[in-house]
Amino acid sequence: MLKHYLRIGLRNFLKHKSSSLINAFGLSLAVGCSLFVFLFIEFFLTIDEYHVNGTEIFVINQEVLVDHGTELYSGTPEPMGPLLKENSSAIIEMSRLKDGFGYVRYGDKVFEESIRFVDPGFLDMLTFPLKWGVSSSLAEPNALILSEKISQKYFGDENPVGEQLTIKFINNDVEHIEPFIIRGVAQEFNKGSSFSFRFLANYNQMEVVGFD
């Protein structure tokens, strides 16, 4: 029976090639668009769901008045986070976030890497389980938390906690070299995450290494 249907379908396809190709293309396009919309909606609805305290975490944005109305920016004044926490009992924890770049050296390995500076509360607010190390150690001035991918890049499958990395920062043509100690390695990130990192460093170290 199936062979009979296939034979008829092939015969009709050869007899009406143009219309058959248009129908096949239209069906393929419809299926592809439907699949894309489904995956987009699923990602949007499930992003960051794995964070244990996700419903209690809020991102502060800045609304700026411009000629044609208002624009929304993610950046806010640096003192805002600490001041809000200090003056509101409703805020349990907060973390600022700023990205920088540096040349990371371990032995003869040197790579330019993105460094994410955060307050120690970052790992208490967001759920990034550590494969090795202790998240509270991020409070130490020269502590680093690595992603699992970065850990494998520099150390393979070995536990790098306690190892030292040297990072050279360049800001306004001024170089600053600072040693950091690895205090933790995060497990592989969830695919539905809007937050991730390669290197995490203490937010206060930005002033030490010459970042504005």
Side-chain angles (χ1 to χ4, degrees):
M1 183 66 72
L2 181 60
K3 290 182 179 180
H4 177 68
Y5 287 142
L6 290 174
R7 191 179 295 114
I8 294 175
L10 181 60
R11 188 180 299 146
N12 289 331
F13 176 81
L14 295 174
K15 188 175 181 180
H16 307 285
K17 290 182 180 179
S18 297
S19 59
S20 297
L21 286 172
I22 292 173
N23 290 336
F25 175 77
L27 179 61
S28 301
L29 184 63
V31 171
C33 289
S34 300
L35 183 60
F36 174 79
V37 171
F38 170 77
L39 293 174
F40 176 80
I41 293 175
E42 182 188 37
F43 177 79
F44 181 78
L45 293 177
T46 59
I47 190 169
D48 292 331
E49 267 195 346
Y50 66 95
H51 292 296
V52 175
N53 301 313
T55 58
E56 300 174 4
I57 299 174
F58 300 89
V59 177
I60 299 177
N61 294 312
Q62 181 178 188
E63 193 174 78
V64 179
L65 293 174
V66 293
D67 293 338
H68 57 274
T70 60
E71 292 184 356
L72 201 64
Y73 293 91
S74 59
T76 55
E78 184 175 328
M80 179 175 287
L83 283 173
L84 287 174
K85 182 181 177 183
E86 181 181 346
N87 292 281
S88 175
S89 59
I91 299 176
I92 300 172
E93 192 54 87
M94 72 86 205
S95 179
R96 295 161 294 180
L97 184 153
K98 191 168 184 178
D99 292 325
F101 291 89
Y103 295 90
V104 179
R105 174 185 291 276
Y106 179 73
D108 58 353
K109 297 179 180 179
V110 181
F111 297 98
E112 183 179 11
E113 304 280 10
S114 61
I115 316 293
R116 177 155 282 182
F117 296 91
V118 297
D119 287 290
F122 181 85
L123 291 176
D124 294 326
M125 296 166 59
L126 303 175
T127 305
F128 290 113
L130 296 190
K131 182 177 181 180
W132 292 304
V134 181
S135 60
S136 60
S137 61
L138 188 58
E140 300 174 16
N142 283 58
L144 277 181
I145 304 292
L146 279 54
S147 69
E148 186 171 1
K149 185 175 181 180
I150 285 294
S151 177
Q152 291 175 346
K153 177 179 178 179
Y154 286 86
F155 303 97
D157 295 327
E158 297 180 6
N159 180 351
V161 172
E163 295 287 346
Q164 178 175 298
L165 294 176
T166 301
I167 305 180
K168 180 171 72 174
F169 298 91
I170 302 176
N171 187 40
N172 296 326
D173 296 326
V174 177
E175 294 185 2
H176 186 99
I177 299 176
E178 188 75 14
F180 287 84
I181 304 297
I182 299 171
R183 294 303 187 192
V185 175
Q187 295 179 12
E188 186 175 353
F189 300 132
N190 190 299
K191 292 182 179 179
S193 176
S194 62
F195 289 94
S196 62
F197 56 86
R198 299 167 70 83
F199 293 83
L200 278 186
N202 190 299
Y203 192 89
N204 293 327
Q205 287 300 106
M206 286 197 302
E207 184 177 351
V208 176
V209 300
F211 279 172
D212 296 330

